[in-house]
Amino acid sequence: QGLAASTQNSRLSALSRVWLWAQDAGLIPDAAANPTRRLMKKIGARSIDFYSRAEIVRILDAAAPQQALHTLIAAALYTGMRKGELYGLRWRDITPHNATIRIERSYRKTPKSGRARTVPLHPRLAALLSAWRPHCPPTDEALVFPFTTQYGDVRMGNSCDDYDRALWRVLEQAGVQIPARPWHAFRHTFASHYVMSGGNLVALQRHLGHHSIQQTMAYAHLAPDFAAADLARLNFDAPP
């Protein structure tokens, strides 16, 4: 009870594999029906909402007076990182001279995919992080976005919920739609604009840390022009 359909399916799938293993091992008759077969939940198609360029400008402008929140929002928009990955990011994970960010944690655990990954560091984000660095503890192990004490001109209280409340106020001030999961909407926004700008779906899969390319294919419809351009390279009329 209370679990998302995808989570229930994942657990049922694991149980199903145990059942099949038991049949292969001769512990259960081959004719015995797999009890999980009729329990899988139907998952409806997910709508992927993302902010337009004009809305992104309004959001960043509204957040500008709050340096910590402004930098955090920019990091979400320029990297597509998950909320937990943003909160788990340490200064040692950022390598400006290589223009990369190493994503090794979600909060204090491993990322959702179970694997670390490296993503490019956008020049605009690099500049914002450089300006934010003096407001954080000097050690490389320090969090990039600390949320337990006061840094700079923003007080973030005792939990990341304070970032969330501040974000909701910014979205309200910017006059944009406030989704149920704003940080995840930024992830969709990054992925959508990446594809619409001609980004490669396989590269996007690695960038987002998707386990399967099927997850990433949800953004494929945003690049019909690029697909047409690729197809136009085929030419059967002239010899190569």
Side-chain angles (χ1 to χ4, degrees):
Q1 291 183 351
L3 294 178
S6 58
T7 302
Q8 294 183 51
N9 285 348
S10 177
R11 296 184 180 183
L12 287 167
S13 178
L15 289 171
S16 177
R17 289 194 293 271
V18 172
W19 179 272
L20 294 174
W21 171 86
Q23 285 184 321
D24 290 341
L27 302 175
I28 298 174
D30 289 340
N34 192 323
T36 67
R37 187 167 59 90
R38 298 184 181 278
L39 297 179
M40 303 295 281
K41 307 295 181 181
K42 290 185 178 179
I43 302 176
R46 294 183 302 140
S47 63
I48 298 178
D49 298 321
F50 60 92
Y51 291 112
S52 67
R53 291 181 182 271
E55 289 174 323
I56 293 170
V57 170
R58 297 209 304 271
I59 292 169
L60 290 172
D61 284 348
Q66 306 178 61
Q67 189 178 9
L69 183 63
H70 180 263
T71 309
L72 177 56
I73 292 173
L77 290 168
Y78 281 115
T79 67
M81 291 167 65
R82 300 179 178 94
K83 177 181 176 181
E85 294 169 347
L86 290 165
Y87 287 144
L89 190 66
R90 298 158 296 189
W91 285 106
R92 76 173 180 88
D93 300 324
I94 301 173
T95 313
H97 65 274
N98 286 338
T100 59
I101 298 176
R102 182 70 174 169
I103 302 173
E104 296 183 342
R105 308 194 314 170
S106 177
Y107 298 103
R108 298 190 183 278
K109 300 180 180 180
T110 57
K112 184 177 180 180
S113 64
R115 300 186 301 270
R117 66 187 188 279
T118 301
V119 300
L121 173 60
H122 193 282
R124 175 58 180 153
L125 178 58
L128 291 172
L129 289 171
S130 178
W132 173 236
R133 183 68 177 98
H135 299 286
C136 298
T139 64
D140 288 343
E141 290 296 325
L143 294 174
V144 176
F145 302 108
F147 48 87
T148 55
T149 55
Q150 183 172 345
Y151 294 93
D153 56 352
V154 181
R155 185 170 184 81
M156 284 303 154
N158 296 317
S159 76
C160 52
D161 290 341
D162 293 310
Y163 277 112
D164 293 344
R165 284 191 287 268
L167 172 59
W168 292 329
R169 288 193 294 270
V170 162
L171 295 178
E172 199 171 51
Q173 183 180 343
V176 299
Q177 181 181 359
I178 303 178
R181 301 168 64 194
W183 295 111
H184 208 68
F186 289 155
R187 182 169 162 86
H188 287 321
T189 297
F190 163 80
S192 300
H193 285 280
Y194 178 90
V195 172
M196 288 189 292
S197 297
N200 180 278
L201 286 170
V202 175
L204 180 61
Q205 178 194 1
R206 294 195 298 267
H207 201 115
L208 294 177
H210 282 165
H211 180 71
S212 167
I213 189 63
Q214 296 304 317
Q215 294 175 272
T216 319
M217 289 301 292
Y219 301 98
H221 69 286
L222 295 172
D225 294 337
F226 297 106
D230 288 339
L231 183 63
R233 294 192 182 98
L234 283 174
N235 186 354
F236 297 115
D237 296 328

